Amino acid sequence: MVMQSLTTSLVSSTCVVPTSASLRSSSPSSSSSSVFSQKAAFTPRGLSFGSSGLLNSGAVQVSGRPSVGLPSVGRISTMASQASVQKVDQESPVLAVVDEPVQIKLRSLKLSDLGPSEIRGLQARPRIDFSNIQSIVGPIVEDVRKRGDEAVKEYTVRFDKVTLENIVELVADLPDPELDPEVKAAFDVAYANIRTFHAAQKKTQSMEVETMPGVRCKRVARAISNVGLYVPGGTAVLPSTALMLAVPAQIAVCKTVVVATPPRPDGSICPEVLYCAKKAGATHILKAGGAQAVAAMAWGTDTCPKVDKILGPGNQYVTAAKMLLQNSEAMVSIDMPAGPSEVLVIADKYASPAHIAADLLSQAEHGPDSQVVFVAVGDDVDVEAIEAEVEAQCNALPRGSIAAKALQNSFTLIVSTKAEACAFSNLYAPEHLIVNVENAASWLDSIDNAGSVFLGRWTPESVGDYASGTNHVLPTYGYARMYGGVSLDSFVKYMTVQSLSSEGLLALGPSVAKMAEVEGLDAHARAVTLRLKDLKAQK
């Protein structure tokens, strides 16, 4: 493939500091460049690029990233209406990829050449117009609420082209799937490591402390009884996600565990997903994907149990359905908002160009709306050698055309120091952060915002995706600033408990009564003073 710059120049893109704090992002159906809006809402530790006050620049609107509508990258279509969406699989990326030659190159930028608004613009991801998507998802969610199983069956025919007699299977009734022994062994290793890491988290759940003599306070964990686990199955089958979600649910001892995953063309369940679901103790499998699967778990149907929480990654239709139902009468919570997969790789001159390229492409191949970022520490990093590796490896990938399109959303940033690299990473807040440098462990204290961190030369992001033990269901789109990934805590809720002795109430009661008096809540005060009166009478 011919190497070509992603864009003419970041500086020539429209970078405007608007007077209004409220900005609109463009519709994904736009045929030209996307519009991104960002607002200064946090101050990453150590971020001080230049003297112009980067973090005082307010909201920034950046226009010019060529995410759609580029003649040089083949035809990319977006689904913006209900009519057009109904013709595609909701599990497919919103960008319909056409296999044509694609010109690729990570745009190379130097931090010292950029102004504050330009730096801030680099943290923007391709924005999704959730208001438009929710207008599509909303009717599906409501239809499933009203018609249950029949609606799910109809949407499965429409989107997946599969006719089902039953949409839900009891896992205990299904025979063990036949897998290649090496495949089975690989998933067994992953299961063991994921279980080990998540089981260790139980040690930090319960706690008890005496806050003052006679006043004991506890926190105890209880499993969320019924959970729904969404396992995507569109452009790639993801049995690893079944493990990432079902194993901590098994450790938490959730009573009902529904795994939702799209059926295969013959209506069966992917054998690898079934194997992982059975091994990790899932109770039901819902053979459906997209918004209809999320709605079925949230509302419950004649055959699908209603769940209390829905977890798992998915495309924008799945994410929109989760967000919509969380704020509905369905009384269901979700793990986190999600978006396209992403990775930020920090590397020095000693890092292998082949390793860096492979790490970047491992996320780019997820979908054309993924984003990968390479941060080179020092002017002596051989960026050209890395770009050559990216091109060569991308051409050799079965999903190379998808990865190449994702690279159009991506860039290389050259920085001078460790402090600048970590500060930009904290600003970007990536889903995955790879630190491929000498003495990588020493960098961890400078990292605040990342879903999962991969330290050192021999730690590719792929190990976390599959089998190191950490969870691969992580915040994207910059949500790592305020969300963590899925963990054992995602499957439990906490109750606080307090217990006072008579001596404890005598010591604490007067302060409580006085505070209630200040707030004008006399009944609160009386609940304490009556007891104090009885205690004093007994003495």
Side-chain angles (χ1 to χ4, degrees), residues 12 38 50 58 89 106 145 272 334 340 362 419 430 438 446-447 484 500:
S12 66
Q38 293 292 331
D89 181 353
L106 291 178
R145 184 184 74 83
E272 291 83 4
I334 66 172
S362 70
E438 289 293 311
S446 300
I447 297 167
L500 274 65

Side-chain angles (χ1 to χ4, degrees), residues 205-211 215-221 494-499:
Q205 286 188 334
S206 297
M207 50 83 72
E208 182 175 356
V209 63
E210 187 174 53
T211 57
V215 181
R216 300 200 66 81
C217 296
K218 293 183 181 181
R219 186 183 77 165
V220 296
Y494 290 100
M495 298 188 302
T496 54
V497 182
Q498 45 266 300
S499 176

Side-chain angles (χ1 to χ4, degrees), residues 185-533:
F187 281 110
D188 288 347
V189 169
Y191 172 87
N193 287 349
I194 295 166
R195 185 172 180 88
T196 297
F197 182 73
H198 289 77
Q201 296 168 27
K202 294 182 71 173
K203 297 177 182 177
T204 63
Q205 286 188 334
S206 297
M207 50 83 72
E208 182 175 356
V209 63
E210 187 174 53
T211 57
M212 62 188 299
V215 181
R216 300 200 66 81
C217 296
K218 293 183 181 181
R219 186 183 77 165
V220 296
R222 296 290 184 267
I224 298 173
S225 295
N226 311 300
V227 294
L229 315 179
Y230 190 87
V231 177
T235 62
V237 178
L238 299 177
S240 57
T241 300
L243 286 179
M244 295 292 173
L245 296 171
V247 170
Q250 183 181 41
I251 296 168
V253 195
C254 300
K255 294 178 180 177
T256 300
V257 179
V258 182
V259 172
T261 191
R264 297 198 296 177
D266 63 357
S268 65
I269 302 162
C270 167
E272 291 83 4
V273 171
L274 177 57
Y275 178 77
C276 293
K278 286 178 74 76
K279 190 173 184 69
T283 58
H284 300 72
I285 292 187
L286 170 61
K287 297 187 291 185
Q292 63 270 23
V294 177
M297 293 189 290
W299 296 117
T301 71
D302 288 342
T303 62
C304 181
K306 183 200 171 350
V307 303
D308 302 309
K309 187 172 185 177
I310 297 173
L311 306 95
N315 65 14
Q316 53 265 58
Y317 298 103
V318 171
T319 301
K322 287 168 64 178
M323 295 172 69
L324 184 66
L325 284 157
Q326 180 179 231
N327 296 299
S328 74
E329 296 176 356
M331 288 291 292
V332 68
S333 69
I334 66 172
D335 47 0
M336 69 190 83
S341 188
E342 58 194 34
V343 67
L344 188 148
V345 178
I346 298 174
D348 59 17
K349 65 180 180 180
Y350 302 109
S352 163
H355 295 176
I356 295 170
D359 288 337
L360 294 171
L361 290 167
S362 70
Q363 291 306 297
E365 72 174 352
H366 270 295
D369 50 358
S370 297
Q371 187 173 56
V372 301
V373 177
F374 173 45
V375 176
V377 185
D379 292 330
D380 48 1
V381 175
D382 193 343
V383 175
E384 290 186 1
I386 294 165
E387 289 178 345
E389 277 289 342
V390 169
E391 181 180 29
Q393 292 186 33
C394 188
N395 277 317
L397 290 174
R399 296 168 67 88
S401 63
I402 292 174
K405 289 180 173 63
L407 293 176
Q408 297 167 47
N409 297 324
S410 308
F411 57 90
T412 294
L413 182 66
I414 301 170
V415 302
S416 299
T417 65
K418 167 185 173 180
E420 289 180 345
C422 290
F424 179 77
S425 179
N426 287 331
L427 177 70
Y428 187 82
E431 176 190 16
H432 307 99
L433 171 61
I434 297 173
V435 184
N436 188 346
V437 299
E438 289 293 311
N439 195 20
S442 68
W443 289 52
L444 186 58
D445 286 345
S446 300
I447 297 167
D448 297 326
N449 303 324
S452 192
V453 182
F454 303 80
L455 293 175
R457 307 289 190 205
W458 310 111
T459 316
E461 185 276 332
S462 307
V463 299
D465 263 357
Y466 291 109
S468 67
T470 62
N471 209 290
H472 78 199
V473 182
L474 302 166
T476 65
Y477 252 51
Y479 281 109
R481 295 174 199 142
M482 69 289 289
Y483 282 93
V486 164
S487 67
L488 185 59
D489 277 358
S490 303
F491 294 86
V492 302
K493 71 272 189 181
Y494 290 100
M495 298 188 302
T496 54
V497 182
Q498 45 266 300
S499 176
L500 274 65
S501 65
S502 57
E503 291 77 10
L505 185 61
L506 285 169
L508 180 60
S511 296
V512 174
K514 179 56 66 177
M515 292 175 71
E517 179 184 329
V518 169
E519 295 188 352
L521 299 175
D522 292 345
H524 281 66
R526 188 178 295 273
V528 173
T529 57
L530 286 176
R531 285 176 169 83
L532 292 175
K533 182 179 179 181

Side-chain angles (χ1 to χ4, degrees), residues 113-128:
D113 294 338
L114 303 178
S117 63
E118 293 164 325
I119 295 171
R120 183 173 300 284
L122 293 178
Q123 71 175 303
R125 276 73 157 181
R127 289 295 167 188
I128 296 173

Side-chain angles (χ1 to χ4, degrees), residues 92 136 421:
S92 300
I136 299 166

